[in-house]
Amino acid sequence: MLIKLWNWEKNWVCQQVFEGHTHYVMEVKVNPKDNNTFASASLDKTVKVWQLGSAQPNFTLEGHEKGVNCVDYYMGGDKPYLISGADDRMVKIWDYQNKTCVQTLEGHAQNIASVSFHPELPIILTGSEDGTVKIWHANTYRLETTLNYGLERVWSIGVLRGSNNVALGYDEGAILIKLGREEPAMSMDAGGKIIWAKHSELQQASLKALEKEEIQDGERLPLAVKDMGSCEVYPQTVQHNPNGRFVVVCGDGEYIIYTAMALRNKSFGSAQEFVWAADSSEYAVRESSSSIKLFKNFKERKSFKPEFGAENIFGGALLGVKSVSGLAFYDWETQELVRRIEIQPRAVYWSETGELCCIVTDESYFVLKYQPDAVAAAAENPEKITEDGIEDAFDVLGEVSETVKTGLWVGDCFIYTNSVNRLNYYVGGEIVTVSHLDRTMYLLGYIPQDNRLYLGDKELNVVSFQLLLSVLEYQTAVMRRDFDTADRVLPTVPKEQRTRVAHFLEKQGFKKQALAVSSDAEHKFDLAIQLGDLENAYNLAKESASEQKWKQLAELATSQAKFELAQQCLHEAQDHGGLLLLATAAGNADMVTKLGIQADQAGKHNVSFLSYFLLGDLERCLEILLASNRVPEAAFFARTYLPSEISRVVELWRVQLGKVNEKAGQSLADPKDYANLFPDYAASLQAQQMLAGERTKVIPAEDWKDIMANYERKPLEELNALADEEDLIDEPLDDKDHPIAGAVEEELEGGEPSKPEEVVAGITTEDLEAELEMDLDNLKLDDIDTTDVNLDDEELLED
């Protein structure tokens, strides 16, 4: 029954006690407009208003039939109102200056537990033990909606100044909801005058007084705000007409048209929605879900009922009507159906010329081109008109999977903000990002003289971003294929914007023009390559000295059979592999020779080895393998091509392998010591001499058909065949070329006896085998890595 005032700055000392209620006090609220007064609700059926410092209440408000549970103050400056809720299931609105009840709200089925005036929206929220929250209009006291989330009784409602969020507390949990429109009620005309609604007040600001040179992108503009007056309805939308002379305010199911300069009432009426036509003197209102009225010069001209109803309407060059069947476009003059499209739009934006239209849905947007000639032709030929209107009325230019929040047209460029707070524009299929926004913002308009785009947020702050008109005009001219205008506008485009324009031209397929416009060397080189422009590409590659660019240019030159240029480019790129391919394809031995030397000097051993190998310089190939420390490969190479070098290479291999494992190194056999382990070794030395003579000969390329391929040749067999021919030649013949009997025997008898095959250089085969067995006995097998040997291999067992 008591109310106590505690001072937390003085260690929570009780500063005052207020007595007067005769039952429990349920809630206390401080007056937001006068912090020295407060109101209290009590189960004694009264609401009392108190003054700090006074022990007695200023006055008592009586009217509830049962105990009062909750109380709240109206936060606006125009009404001295209190609201209270009680166990009699009634909500009462009080004028605390006149101390009278101005309205009683009925509808709840149980005790009222919480009431609240919303600080931002013209609504009253009431919560009851019946489990519902009811939302009432603060001016008309009409019940707008009832919320029931099935969480049993409602106990509290929390609101926050500057936000549309509302918190609801129940027996079984809490819920946070968002009420009203996020988009602020504000509009800007073509001259830069902005009108917005702050609660029920209309305010005006002008951009003309700003120093445009000092404006930074994304920074809040220091606008001088002027109050225009109070509006008779609570504004939900504010919208200038196309010429900016009038502004319409919509809210509470009504519209009022004011003069934009002095806010004089020009016209009004009831409307759920209001849209302007492209003609500033025409507009339409949607009175209900089935009726639309059209006006011209503020006089009603026509009323019609669309076939499938009207959930929303959209203004512009044609009147758009959304229904369950989709979007229908009607002619403003005749109200005839132009085209019905099966789509559920959220917004429709028309360009100033009426040629382009953007239809926005929840998940994407479509850019269409309106064809008035096709519509006019169909009007003369009714057979072309179907139940969905004229099929050729629109051409689809593009579809983008992106959620648009707000948008507008500048020329043929559609500028918009999206769901992830990016400021983009769409032109000719290309999307360009102007800026990443740090919060949700809404487009107000574009001022061509300032080259700036203006946006506002829900706190009524205005920011701007630079968007050059010359760039937009150039892109618009290109889209319209008006290249004379484009050439005239191009000099006005700043150099730092040229590359952006060039990318746009490239995307439209005008690569030659893009090459002339671009100021980015990388982009210009890419375009030159795409166009096959060797001269420009060569100059750009020379300036950049980029290895990658030289390679790209070499590829292009090769494709155009410019082999000298290709060779130069490959040299510049130090692309030895490419040079080898070019040299071998051309059959240029001199070039291969030079390449071998250059690659060797550059440490490109693979290329130099292959170059010398193709030239037949096997000795140089062996030296390259040795120089690159590829001794094992050198040994096998020598065994295959240069058997006379085996001993030298094996000795080097022994030294190298001995550093890892001495026994393994000593186990390497040299053919001069173990001739029996190298069958046909002597013959291979003779084959080497035979083939060395062949390599010195130059064979014309035209003889390639008559020459056996190297991989098909068997040098040892060729050598044996050659030896047989020489034996026949050396055999003594008579005068008739017949062999002379006994001549060979006599030669052998008279000469020195030949040594047995088993004795070589005074050492018998048995001696060699005994020495090898001794070496093998001293060899420790544990030191040898046999991980790659399959000891179960049947072939090894057979050996």
Side-chain angles (χ1 to χ4, degrees), residues 145-421:
T145 187
T146 299
L147 306 175
N148 189 343
Y149 295 103
L151 296 176
E152 299 300 332
R153 296 172 294 182
V154 182
W155 291 113
S156 61
I157 297 173
V159 295
L160 181 66
R161 185 179 288 275
S163 170
N164 288 359
N165 293 341
V166 175
L168 307 175
Y170 293 83
D171 273 335
E172 297 184 358
I175 287 181
L176 184 67
I177 61 174
K178 184 180 288 186
L179 299 174
R181 281 165 52 97
E182 276 293 309
E183 188 173 347
M186 59 195 310
S187 177
M188 185 178 81
D189 66 10
K193 289 181 181 176
I194 304 172
I195 295 177
W196 63 64
K198 191 170 186 179
H199 303 297
S200 294
E201 307 292 323
L202 290 180
Q203 296 178 327
Q204 186 184 64
S206 178
L207 301 172
K208 289 184 178 179
L210 295 174
E211 292 291 336
K212 304 299 187 300
E213 294 78 12
E214 298 178 2
I215 296 176
Q216 298 295 319
D217 284 359
E219 286 191 3
R220 182 175 177 269
L221 301 180
L223 297 175
V225 180
K226 183 177 79 172
D227 288 328
M228 299 184 73
S230 182
C231 187
E232 289 88 338
V233 299
Y234 187 88
Q236 290 176 307
T237 62
V238 176
Q239 186 182 3
H240 281 91
N241 73 334
N243 64 21
R245 292 180 57 196
F246 299 100
V247 63
V248 63
V249 177
C250 293
D252 303 338
E254 298 181 16
Y255 74 90
I256 303 174
I257 300 175
Y258 296 100
T259 57
M261 292 294 292
L263 207 67
R264 286 197 300 269
N265 191 322
K266 190 69 178 176
S267 182
F268 63 91
S270 62
Q272 298 299 317
E273 276 186 289
F274 180 104
V275 294
W276 294 104
D279 182 347
S280 295
S281 63
E282 289 188 81
Y283 58 90
V285 298
R286 181 176 68 87
E287 287 192 323
S288 66
S289 60
S290 61
S291 175
I292 296 174
K293 286 184 178 180
L294 277 68
F295 294 79
K296 188 174 179 69
N297 295 324
F298 309 106
K299 294 180 180 178
E300 184 178 338
R301 187 162 59 86
K302 183 75 174 179
S303 177
F304 79 106
K305 295 185 176 182
E307 183 179 355
F308 297 98
E311 296 178 4
N312 297 104
I313 58 174
F314 308 99
L318 297 175
L319 175 62
V321 180
K322 175 187 174 182
S323 65
V324 292
S325 68
L327 173 63
F329 286 108
Y330 294 91
D331 185 272
W332 282 93
E333 289 292 329
T334 63
Q335 292 82 52
E336 294 289 335
L337 177 66
V338 176
R339 187 78 174 99
R340 180 178 287 109
I341 304 171
E342 291 185 7
I343 193 172
Q344 292 297 313
R346 197 163 46 78
V348 176
Y349 300 97
W350 285 88
S351 64
E352 291 182 13
T353 60
E355 292 180 4
L356 296 171
C357 170
C358 180
I359 301 175
V360 175
T361 67
D362 288 333
E363 297 179 351
S364 59
Y365 65 90
F366 301 83
V367 178
L368 282 64
K369 185 172 184 180
Y370 179 51
Q371 302 288 357
D373 295 339
V375 174
E380 299 175 2
N381 189 359
E383 294 179 359
K384 292 186 177 180
I385 302 177
T386 65
E387 61 178 7
D388 288 331
I390 303 161
E391 289 188 6
D392 298 332
F394 290 95
D395 291 334
V396 179
L397 300 182
E399 175 187 358
V400 179
S401 297
E402 200 169 0
T403 302
V404 173
K405 277 194 169 290
T406 54
L408 59 87
W409 286 91
V410 177
D412 288 1
C413 303
F414 179 62
I415 305 171
Y416 62 95
T417 57
N418 65 13
S419 57
V420 293
N421 295 334

Side-chain angles (χ1 to χ4, degrees), residues 560-620:
Q560 295 187 10
K562 305 292 185 182
F563 298 119
E564 290 184 6
L565 177 59
Q567 182 178 343
Q568 182 184 350
C569 295
L570 290 170
H571 272 296
E572 294 286 352
Q574 292 293 300
D575 185 357
H576 297 96
L579 285 167
L580 181 61
L581 175 63
L582 186 64
T584 52
N588 190 335
D590 291 339
M591 186 175 170
V592 175
T593 302
K594 291 178 182 177
L595 177 60
I597 296 170
Q598 291 176 354
D600 199 5
Q601 292 172 348
K604 303 291 184 182
H605 299 301
N606 288 347
V607 176
S608 61
F609 177 89
L610 190 53
S611 299
Y612 287 119
F613 189 78
L614 291 170
L615 292 168
D617 191 347
L618 301 178
E619 290 78 7
R620 187 65 191 134

Side-chain angles (χ1 to χ4, degrees), residues 389-636:
I390 303 161
E391 289 188 6
D392 298 332
F394 290 95
D395 291 334
V396 179
L397 300 182
E399 175 187 358
V400 179
S401 297
E402 200 169 0
T403 302
V404 173
K405 277 194 169 290
T406 54
L408 59 87
W409 286 91
V410 177
D412 288 1
C413 303
F414 179 62
I415 305 171
Y416 62 95
T417 57
N418 65 13
S419 57
V420 293
N421 295 334
R422 267 195 204 126
L423 177 60
N424 295 343
Y425 72 84
Y426 171 98
V427 57
E430 183 185 9
I431 297 174
V432 179
T433 298
V434 178
S435 178
H436 295 260
L437 307 174
D438 58 359
R439 61 190 183 280
T440 302
M441 306 208 73
Y442 306 89
L443 285 166
L444 292 174
Y446 179 75
I447 307 295
Q449 296 87 347
D450 301 346
N451 285 319
R452 299 198 77 83
L453 190 65
Y454 294 91
L455 302 91
D457 62 16
K458 64 181 182 180
E459 281 80 30
L460 305 178
N461 299 314
V462 178
V463 300
S464 75
F465 293 90
Q466 186 182 52
L467 190 58
L468 295 177
L469 179 64
S470 57
V471 174
L472 299 180
E473 284 181 343
Y474 185 86
Q475 292 174 328
T476 298
V478 171
M479 285 301 299
R480 295 175 179 173
R481 301 298 189 268
D482 185 359
F483 293 107
D484 291 337
T485 301
D487 291 341
R488 194 167 59 252
V489 172
L490 182 60
T492 65
V493 177
K495 287 186 177 180
E496 62 269 16
Q497 297 290 328
R498 296 284 178 94
T499 301
R500 175 182 287 185
V501 171
H503 281 291
F504 168 75
L505 287 168
E506 181 186 5
K507 195 150 192 176
Q508 301 306 310
F510 305 118
K511 294 180 181 178
K512 194 171 183 180
Q513 290 86 340
L515 178 60
V517 169
S518 180
S519 58
D520 179 24
E522 295 285 334
H523 187 221
K524 290 182 76 171
F525 181 80
D526 290 340
L527 289 170
I529 291 294
Q530 292 177 47
L531 291 167
D533 187 344
L534 288 173
E535 184 179 351
N536 272 318
Y538 177 78
N539 291 331
L540 290 164
K542 202 171 181 181
E543 290 174 9
S544 69
S546 165
E547 180 180 318
Q548 183 60 32
K549 283 188 173 61
W550 284 118
K551 287 183 179 180
Q552 286 180 264
L553 183 55
E555 188 176 340
L556 177 62
T558 303
S559 67
Q560 295 187 10
K562 305 292 185 182
F563 298 119
E564 290 184 6
L565 177 59
Q567 182 178 343
Q568 182 184 350
C569 295
L570 290 170
H571 272 296
E572 294 286 352
Q574 292 293 300
D575 185 357
H576 297 96
L579 285 167
L580 181 61
L581 175 63
L582 186 64
T584 52
N588 190 335
D590 291 339
M591 186 175 170
V592 175
T593 302
K594 291 178 182 177
L595 177 60
I597 296 170
Q598 291 176 354
D600 199 5
Q601 292 172 348
K604 303 291 184 182
H605 299 301
N606 288 347
V607 176
S608 61
F609 177 89
L610 190 53
S611 299
Y612 287 119
F613 189 78
L614 291 170
L615 292 168
D617 191 347
L618 301 178
E619 290 78 7
R620 187 65 191 134
C621 290
L622 181 64
E623 294 305 321
I624 289 171
L625 289 172
L626 292 173
S628 58
N629 204 28
R630 309 291 287 271
V631 180
E633 289 93 330
F636 284 102

Side-chain angles (χ1 to χ4, degrees), residues 69-70 83 85-86 89-91 108-116 124-136 147 152-157 168-170:
N69 295 315
C70 45
I83 183 172
R89 306 173 187 176
M90 302 290 184
V91 175
H108 282 293
Q110 289 295 333
N111 302 341
I112 310 299
S114 184
V115 292
S116 178
I124 297 168
L125 298 106
T126 60
S128 167
E129 292 181 28
D130 62 10
T132 66
V133 173
K134 293 185 181 292
I135 299 176
W136 316 77
L147 306 175
E152 299 300 332
R153 296 172 294 182
V154 182
W155 291 113
S156 61
I157 297 173
L168 307 175
Y170 293 83

